[in-house]
Every structure is written in structure tokens, then in C-alpha cells.
Amino acid sequence: MKINQQTTENTLTLSLDGELDASSSVLLDTELTKPEVLDYKKVLIDCQRLNYISSAGLGVFISHLQRFQDANVKLVFFNMQEKVHNVFEILGLDALMTIVPSEAEATAI
Amino acid sequence: MENAIRISCSRHNLKVVRDFVSSYLAAYGLSDLQLNQIILAVDEVVANLIIHANHEDESQFLDLRVMMEKQVFEIEIEDDSKSSYQPSLYKEPDLQEHIRVGKKGGVGMTLVNRIMDRVEFTTTGTHNVCRLYKRIG
């Protein structure tokens, strides 16, 4: 699992590359826990190269969502592969999180 | 084709388990979605056994055996941990509440229960067996 970062003045984009499981999710949790993440208006999660997610990966996003909302930071997922989106759907998380098809739509939010 | 493996209780072996299940199922022509779901369900049970039941003690082992009979995929996962999972204590998670309190865990078995057709846990003495079943096709 690799996490690449890109920033603009208002937006932090994390591009996830690989498999997000109970082993690798610790890395993502560390990134999202950093206080400076809350300095941005939006945190975009590019899922194009995210090939797999388990409940541990979902749990990281679930556990940070309220903190982001309280700080008025939007968390937006884009470019999600169908099989990864399906895992969000099985739990009903697709209705509780913002998932859009493309980077353009994520940027426009 | 390998239909059994033994792994030590390290979370680094989760990838080994996923690759094992994936390579066994490769011959059956499943859709990407169904293949991913089955791999996920196995991964969730194995992660629970490694992390919660065996406390990531690498001197402990899990034995996995897969089979396919009449279009039903079955996997058996055995261990000798002192604590065994009690399915009767399972509660459907309230995701809104998980989000509100920032809870990290507690949705893995929900995925397993929603994906697989049948989930069984049995304990004999200190020996635990989990069996997962899924009709394919």
C-alpha cells in the first residue's frame, strides 16, 4: 500500500495505491490523524489504484468522518473501482460518505 | 492446485490468505465482484482470528482448507486460541453511531454475514473451526 499526496491551497488529495487491509490501514490512519489534515477545506481520496479494501480500511474512514465534519472538512472519494465500491454498498456506507465518479466532480464539490 | 495452507498469526499473512483463496477460485470463472466478496469474507474472519483471538502471536497458527462441492465454495479455518468467537453475541452495527463516536472496528462480521450464505463457528475443547459457505455462479 502506497499513499501519494498532492496539495493545493484548499485541497489535500491522497492517492491510494494497493490493498487496504488490517495490516496496511495503519499507514492510512497515521496520515488522516495528522492535525494539519484539518487545515484543508477538502480531503479527496483518489481510489483509482485502490484494488482492495477490508473492514479495517473502512474503519479508518468511519473513525475520522465525524472529526472531519466537526472541522468543516469535506471527505470525498473518487475514481473508485466497482469491486471496492461494492464493499461500501454492502454496509450501506455509500449513503453516508461522499463518493463521486471522477476527479472533476470531486473538485467541483 | 493447493487447497490447504497453514499460516502463523501475523497480520502480514492476510495477503497470503487472499492470494491463496484467489488462486483456488481462479478456475471457476467468478465475476470480479463475487471473487472480491468471497476473498473479503475470508480475510475478515482470518483477521479477527489473528488479531483478536490469537493476539498476533506468531507462534500460533491457522489452518485453512478450501473445497468446492456442487457449486458451493467452502472454507474451513481452524485454530487453537483460548478465546472463541460467539456468534450469538453478534449485533448489527449502527453505522451512524460508529461515525458519531469515531469507532474503528466492529463491521467485519457484518460483511461476512452479508456476503456468505452460511457461517458456522464450532469449538471442541480448545480447538475452534470456522466454516464459511457460498454458492457460486
Side-chain angles (χ1 to χ4, degrees):
Chain A
M1 177 81 201
K2 286 184 197 154
I3 304 173
N4 296 309
Q5 296 197 19
Q6 272 191 313
T7 57
T8 64
E9 191 186 344
N10 295 322
T11 305
L12 167 66
T13 303
L14 299 180
S15 302
L16 308 183
D17 187 342
E19 302 190 342
L20 195 49
D21 67 1
S23 181
S24 59
S25 61
V26 179
L27 190 67
L28 176 66
D29 194 37
T30 303
E31 287 304 319
L32 293 181
T33 304
K34 288 178 179 169
E36 57 265 33
V37 168
L38 301 183
D39 294 339
Y40 297 93
K41 289 185 176 161
K42 273 195 282 193
V43 174
L44 306 185
I45 310 292
D46 183 352
C47 301
Q48 186 164 30
R49 293 176 189 276
L50 177 65
N51 299 316
Y52 177 80
I53 190 165
S54 74
S55 69
L58 297 173
V60 171
F61 293 120
I62 290 170
S63 70
H64 286 284
L65 196 57
Q66 188 67 50
R67 180 173 147 258
F68 278 34
Q69 284 172 1
D70 291 347
N72 217 15
V73 178
K74 288 178 181 154
L75 178 67
V76 183
F77 299 84
F78 68 97
N79 279 347
M80 197 178 275
Q81 294 180 28
E82 191 187 1
K83 64 183 178 182
V84 172
H85 190 263
N86 176 247
V87 181
F88 281 74
E89 282 176 323
I90 292 170
L91 285 178
L93 279 173
D94 54 322
L96 300 173
M97 297 193 178
T98 307
I99 305 170
V100 298
S102 67
E103 183 167 10
E105 285 161 274
T107 307
I109 283 176
Chain B
M1 187 191 309
E2 283 289 318
N3 73 340
I5 55 165
R6 164 171 274 213
I7 59 156
S8 66
C9 286
S10 159
R11 63 176 81 194
H12 298 297
N13 284 326
L14 290 169
K15 172 77 175 151
V16 176
V17 170
R18 293 198 299 273
D19 288 346
F20 165 68
V21 174
S22 175
S23 100
Y24 179 78
L25 287 172
Y28 294 95
L30 274 63
S31 68
D32 267 3
L33 237 58
Q34 194 170 33
L35 179 62
N36 187 67
Q37 288 180 358
I38 292 173
I39 290 169
L40 175 64
V42 174
D43 187 33
E44 295 293 347
V45 169
V46 171
N48 281 343
L49 291 173
I50 289 174
I51 297 164
H52 301 301
N54 287 283
H55 311 289
E56 303 186 62
D57 176 354
E58 293 188 37
S59 69
Q60 299 299 310
F61 294 90
L62 303 184
D63 286 297
L64 292 87
R65 191 165 68 250
V66 288
M67 59 212 95
M68 186 76 75
E69 249 189 43
K70 295 180 182 169
Q71 295 289 101
V72 175
F73 170 75
E74 178 185 348
I75 182 161
E76 275 183 359
I77 307 160
E78 302 186 50
D79 80 328
D80 289 298
S81 62
K82 289 192 182 81
S83 59
S84 56
Y85 176 72
Q86 304 289 324
S88 59
L89 299 179
Y90 173 78
K91 280 199 302 190
E92 282 285 304
D94 177 346
L95 286 179
Q96 306 259 24
E97 182 62 10
H98 279 221
I99 289 170
R100 196 183 67 76
V101 301
K103 187 173 175 182
K104 267 200 190 73
V107 297
M109 280 312 297
T110 305
L111 286 167
V112 178
N113 291 331
R114 290 182 185 176
I115 289 167
M116 302 308 280
D117 296 326
R118 192 146 56 97
V119 178
E120 294 174 355
F121 287 88
T122 55
T123 298
T124 311
T126 59
H127 190 66
N128 309 299
V129 183
C130 171
R131 290 188 183 86
L132 307 175
Y133 301 87
K134 177 77 175 177
R135 177 167 291 281
I136 64 158

